[in-house]
Structure formats: C-alpha cells, structure tokens
Amino acid sequence: RTPDGNPLVLFIAEPQNRAVLVACDEEACSSFTETVVVEFGLPESGQVSELAIGADGLPAFAFTRYDDDTQSREAGIVHCLDAACTQRSVTDLLTFAGGGMAPAFAVDPQGLPIAVFSDWGTDGQTGVYHVVRCSDPSCQGHTAASIPDAGGAPVVRFTESGAPVLAFVRNRPEDRKADLVMHACSDDSCSAEGTQTVVAEVSPNGHPVDMAYTADGSPVFAFDTPRLTVALCSDAACDGPVDVSFLDTGVEEARVIATSTNGLPIIAYTSIAPEYERELRVAACADMACSEGTIQIVDTNDWMHTIDMVLDPNGKPILAYQTGTSLMITACGDPYCESDSQNSLFWDQ
C-alpha cells in the first residue's frame, strides 16, 4: 500500500511486455497513477516479484529478464524513489544461464530487502535458489548465497527475530507426488547451511504456496491438494505436529495473510464453480488452524487468474486480480467480505 494506505499494484502488461506499477488514489482504485517501471523486450521474457515497502516507506520489487544476446537471465531490484515510482533506481544483481520461476521478495523488520531467484540451469534439472540480502533499500550493498535442491516458485518471510525463511513445493519424481518444504536460514544472509523441514504432502501441479506467521510465531501455510488446504505448525521451526485443515474444493490459486484485527488467517483464492466458471473467494478462518471458516464469493469470471491480497488498516481485504487481459481491484466492505464490495476495472490490455 501507499503511505496513505491505498493499494499499489505491480503487473506485467502484454503484449508490450513491460512491468507497470499502479498507485491508487483510493481503495477501490477508480483513479490512479500508472508508471512503466521495467521494459522486458522479448515477449514473455520478464518476471516480477510481489511488492514490498522498504525502510524508507517506498515500494521495491525484484525482477528477472531474458537477454537474447547472451542467452542468460538477468536479475535485479527496482527501488522506487516516490510512492508512484515515477522516479526509481535499478540495481543489477546477478546473471545466470537457466530459466526459473518468478522471484520472491520481502523486507525484514528493519525494512531491508531480500530477493530469491530460482535457477534451473541449462539442463532444467538442477535447481538452485540464489538469495540476495540487501544492506540498503536500493540494494547497492548486498551479499549473495545459493540454496541447492530448489523446488517451485518460492515465498520468503521473516521470523520475529528477522531470520529469513523460504517456503516452496518440491516434486518427488519417484512417486509423482510433492512436498511443501520450509527452509529456515541459519544466518541473516542464508550463506550457511539451513534447516529444511517437510511440512505436508501437496499436489504436484506447480501451484505456489503462501505463508504467514501467527501471533505466537508459528508458520501457517495455504496451498491446494487440490482442495484449499491450511497447515499450521505447532512451533516456529515446524518440528512438532502440523495441524492440516481442508476448506474448499476445486482450488486453483491461494494466498494467505494474518488479519490485523483478530490475528486469524484469511485466504483469497480462485476456485472452479460447478458451471466451470472461476470464482474469486475469500475464506475467513474461525481459528488459527482454519478448521472452520466462512467463505464468500467476491467475483465471478471465466478468465480469472493471478490474484493477490492486502489488508487495509481496518483489516478489510483489498484484492487485485486479472480477468483475461483486464486487471481488477475489489475492496471488501468488511474484514470478511460479507457486505458490499467495490469492484473497479483499472487496466484493460
């Protein structure tokens, strides 16, 4: 969100193949400022992370783009110098030969960034995560480390003490199944060997997971099996029992976040309705393990995909998502999306 609490949305515009940042003037985003922040050139050659707000209160994100001349992928960070990113700095971080998933990006409790880039090598088989730890908001100073045995698109979060934690899905080719893995870095830069824990068995379909922390510091995950599934660890390291709950069926994409009002998880996701329409749904958990919850249908569209969610200062969800080539914002009227929501079309490609 912008410093005044309004949504910020980052997406890749096609067919121009450029990253665009939209700074909304109010929650429903009926008016906004749009800025082209990265030009990727070749079609489908660019990837962006989620946005995060740095120590200076300004947005930043990680990106990768393919260079056809060198046949390699370039990775970097964009640090905005104003809320709408009309002025910005771009820091090139590293180059690698392999393809990969969209990067992960977050800021630590001091507001300093971390970026994770997945690299599948030239053979597409040997997965590595490149972890870049920044010492300033624009990442002019940084360290780089590698984590082997990478899986799918990662997410990165921080414990209360500021230690980085990655979550990702790793396939098991031997039995055509997959594991949800949590990698806890043993130092601030992930340069030393960390601890990997298998949290749960998941669907081997490449769908991403998302992760948050409860008020007592325990990790909670949302993913599909292909049911909407929530896994709550009983301790910060996820060494103890894991409470797994199922909330919905036909799920395609899930996001999880702990609400600011009651500390319970709230999940936005897309689901296939009986008529084969896609529905954007919000599940508000009644307890930390999400053994029960209320589910609301927020929007319906055949071509809905690529969703994200933040909470406003009052704990009300604001959702951004694509419907075909259009982008939408929905601002829920209450923390459970039970009352009227405001829907705005703010981009039509």
Side-chain angles (χ1 to χ4, degrees):
R1 298 193 302 268
T2 61
D4 55 6
N6 294 325
L8 290 165
V9 183
L10 176 69
F11 62 96
I12 295 179
E14 299 287 357
Q16 302 93 341
N17 200 35
R18 55 181 55 158
V20 178
L21 187 142
V22 169
C24 301
D25 296 328
E26 28 75 37
E27 281 192 355
C29 210
S30 57
S31 63
F32 53 85
T33 300
E34 76 180 58
T35 305
V36 176
V37 287
V38 182
E39 296 276 6
F40 292 121
L42 294 172
E44 300 182 0
S45 63
Q47 298 170 316
V48 295
S49 70
E50 59 187 339
L51 280 170
I53 304 301
D56 54 5
L58 297 173
F61 65 93
F63 70 92
T64 66
R65 60 184 166 201
Y66 184 74
D67 187 322
D68 195 40
D69 292 334
T70 62
Q71 296 188 352
S72 61
R73 190 165 292 276
E74 302 169 344
I77 283 181
V78 173
H79 171 233
C80 300
L81 304 179
D82 56 73
C85 216
T86 58
Q87 301 292 322
R88 57 200 169 275
S89 66
V90 180
T91 303
D92 295 323
L93 298 174
L94 53 90
T95 301
F96 50 91
M101 307 287 187
F105 187 74
V107 297
D108 67 12
Q110 286 71 48
L112 298 176
I114 186 172
V116 183
F117 303 96
S118 58
D119 176 6
W120 279 94
T122 55
D123 61 0
Q125 300 295 323
T126 308
V128 173
Y129 291 129
H130 300 293
V131 180
V132 176
R133 195 71 166 90
C134 305
S135 57
D136 58 89
S138 62
C139 215
Q140 296 292 323
H142 59 268
T143 60
S146 294
I147 297 174
D149 300 323
V155 295
V156 60
R157 300 290 184 261
F158 289 95
T159 64
E160 289 182 343
S161 63
V165 175
L166 279 66
F168 55 91
V169 172
R170 185 163 57 206
N171 287 337
R172 305 197 313 246
E174 65 274 11
D175 59 5
R176 297 183 180 181
K177 295 182 181 179
D179 292 321
L180 167 58
V181 178
M182 187 180 83
H183 179 101
C185 296
S186 57
D187 60 18
D188 185 65
S189 61
C190 294
S191 57
E193 183 177 357
T195 302
Q196 291 196 356
T197 303
V198 174
V199 178
E201 186 176 286
V202 301
S203 179
N205 52 17
H207 289 178
V209 301
D210 212 344
M211 173 185 179
Y213 279 95
T214 64
D216 64 0
S218 297
V220 58
F221 305 85
F223 51 96
D224 67 88
T225 58
R227 293 178 290 179
L228 175 60
T229 308
V230 176
L232 173 67
C233 297
S234 55
D235 58 82
C238 225
D239 289 330
V242 178
D243 198 337
V244 178
S245 303
F246 305 103
L247 284 178
D248 205 350
T249 58
V251 175
E252 291 194 310
E253 183 181 355
R255 290 275 175 181
V256 63
I257 190 168
T259 68
S260 59
T261 53
N262 58 12
L264 299 178
I266 185 166
I267 306 161
Y269 60 100
T270 56
S271 184
I272 300 294
E275 298 79 13
Y276 299 102
E277 289 183 318
R278 286 181 173 85
E279 294 179 342
L280 175 61
R281 302 181 182 183
V282 171
C285 300
D287 54 59
M288 205 61 71
C290 228
S291 59
E292 295 182 350
T294 60
I295 296 174
Q296 300 294 330
I297 298 172
V298 177
D299 199 0
T300 301
N301 187 284
D302 287 345
W303 303 102
M304 190 179 299
H305 62 98
T306 314
I307 63 171
D308 208 346
M309 175 177 68
V310 296
L311 303 180
D312 75 5
N314 297 313
K316 296 183 293 185
I318 303 172
L319 302 112
Y321 51 99
Q322 292 183 258
T323 56
T325 59
S326 301
L327 284 97
M328 303 286 295
I329 283 242
T330 293
C332 292
D334 60 72
Y336 307 101
C337 291
E338 293 176 332
S339 58
D340 291 341
S341 301
Q342 291 181 280
N343 299 78
S344 297
L345 169 68
F346 70 94
W347 182 273
D348 194 353
Q349 305 178 63

